[in-house]
Amino acid sequence: MFSGKTALITGASSGIGEQMARQLAAVGCNLILVARRTERLDSLAGELASVTVDVITADLSDPQAAEAVYAQTQAAGRQVDILINNAGFGFQKPLLSLPVADQLGMVDVNVRSLLALTQRFAAPMAQRGQGWVLNVSSVSAWFPIPGMVTYAASKACVLHLSRALHEELKPAGIVVTALCPGGTRTEFSSIARERMDPDLEKAMMPADVVAAAGLEALASGKAVVVPGALYRIMVSLVRVLPASWVTRLAGRVMGRHH
Ligand SMILES: NC(=O)c1ccc[n+]([C@@H]2O[C@H](COP(=O)([O-])OP(=O)(O)OC[C@H]3O[C@@H](n4cnc5c(N)ncnc54)[C@H](OP(=O)(O)O)[C@@H]3O)[C@@H](O)[C@H]2O)c1
């Protein structure tokens, strides 16, 4: 379905975004790779030489970055058929021990840039009557997490935005899908400085499996996908357990800090 199209992937320099780039290239989809670490993007572009690959260096915590990324695609004459808002990170730190600038930096990357890029790239998709937007949220979207409050709330925002946009943009021919991974083996944990629950460690999923689940859901027009049976059970339990239990449990399992 995506052969001959062009996908712009944010956070393509590692983890889930890098795996999506590899999988899309394998089916003949051209790529625009976005992240801060240019050398990683250049080296990935070199490996994926069977398709056209552009690299854009951008720090998506900069409020002007989304506009600059869009302008660069325009200057290069590239049409974006598929937008993958994957760049994101979280800190596992209590609110009172993480400076507000760091808290807001998470919101800028995880939410602000995602929203700005979606608005920019969805407009021409709507004019063409076809497009795909894959937003990477998290299983954390279902859990308020004491010890990781801003990250969990930012991912809840991504999930809600995506669900609403799925309906709002459907008449324009645009599919919007939220990918909600549970624990996934990437560089995320070391950046979050997570103290991992041993049971959660065992349940970590490979990044390529999570990436494939997201792309498959996007191609089949789903609104939301949660890869992995364990994580689907976790999400369904949230609907039946009292909200205060869910919050306390999430804090115990995912919000422990150093
Ligand atoms: N791993 C998990 O357990 C897990 C679970 C649920 C959801 N997720 C979500 O999955 C997505 C991908 O994360 P991952 O697990 O693949 O982690 P990762 O390996 O750390 O990859 C994160 C990507 O985001 C990019 N990024 C971070 N800050 C950026 C910034 N300011 N500007 C531009 N790019 C930035 C990084 O590139 P540069 O550093 O080169 O800029 C990197 O390519 C994130 O949205 C994350 O929240 C992950």
Side-chain angles (χ1 to χ4, degrees):
M1 173 181 267
F2 297 141
S3 174
K5 306 269 187 234
T6 296
L8 184 147
I9 308 175
T10 68
S13 60
S14 72
I16 298 167
E18 179 190 332
Q19 292 304 322
M20 284 181 180
R22 292 183 185 282
Q23 291 172 17
L24 284 168
V27 297
C29 182
N30 301 309
L31 299 167
I32 303 170
L33 308 176
V34 181
R36 291 167 301 183
R37 288 172 292 178
T38 315
E39 67 293 348
R40 289 241 198 153
L41 298 178
D42 283 342
S43 131
L44 181 60
E47 280 186 59
L48 306 178
S50 61
V51 291
T52 304
V53 186
D54 286 359
V55 163
I56 298 179
T57 306
D59 181 349
L60 295 173
S61 66
D62 177 350
Q64 311 303 324
E67 196 55 40
V69 168
Y70 179 72
Q72 286 190 60
T73 62
Q74 293 300 103
R78 303 293 302 279
Q79 170 181 309
V80 171
D81 306 294
I82 305 151
L83 170 66
I84 302 183
N85 286 307
N86 161 76
F89 68 99
F91 288 126
Q92 195 180 46
K93 282 258 179 195
L95 184 76
L96 299 185
S97 54
L98 189 64
V100 74
D102 292 342
Q103 306 280 352
L104 293 174
M106 258 185 277
V107 177
D108 282 338
V109 176
N110 297 0
V111 180
R112 181 187 191 132
S113 75
L114 174 146
L115 186 58
L117 287 168
T118 301
Q119 196 182 36
R120 256 314 187 184
F121 285 102
M125 288 178 195
Q127 276 166 11
R128 296 192 295 271
Q130 189 184 51
W132 293 267
V133 178
L134 180 58
N135 290 332
V136 181
S137 173
S138 169
V139 159
S140 307
W142 274 271
F143 298 89
I145 307 178
M148 218 172 174
V149 293
T150 307
Y151 177 73
S154 76
K155 291 298 178 179
C157 182
V158 171
L159 178 61
H160 281 244
L161 269 171
S162 305
R163 275 180 160 160
L165 281 176
H166 181 85
E167 294 303 325
E168 189 172 304
L169 293 177
K170 198 185 277 178
I174 302 173
V175 174
V176 180
T177 301
L179 166 63
C180 300
T184 308
R185 277 183 214 98
T186 66
E187 295 172 17
F188 181 89
S189 301
S190 57
I191 292 164
R193 297 190 283 274
E194 273 180 323
R195 178 180 288 177
M196 188 69 72
D197 182 279
D199 291 331
L200 215 60
E201 178 85 64
K202 279 185 228 143
M204 294 285 272
M205 292 185 65
D208 60 337
V209 173
V210 171
L215 293 176
E216 202 180 298
L218 185 69
S220 55
K222 279 191 186 162
V224 181
V225 60
V226 179
L230 173 72
Y231 294 109
R232 283 194 289 278
I233 292 169
M234 274 171 69
V235 164
S236 58
L237 279 178
V238 168
R239 297 196 187 103
V240 294
L241 291 175
S244 58
W245 289 19
V246 168
T247 308
R248 282 200 293 270
L249 193 67
R252 251 179 245 145
V253 177
M254 291 149 78
R256 289 180 198 173
H257 51 85
H258 302 266

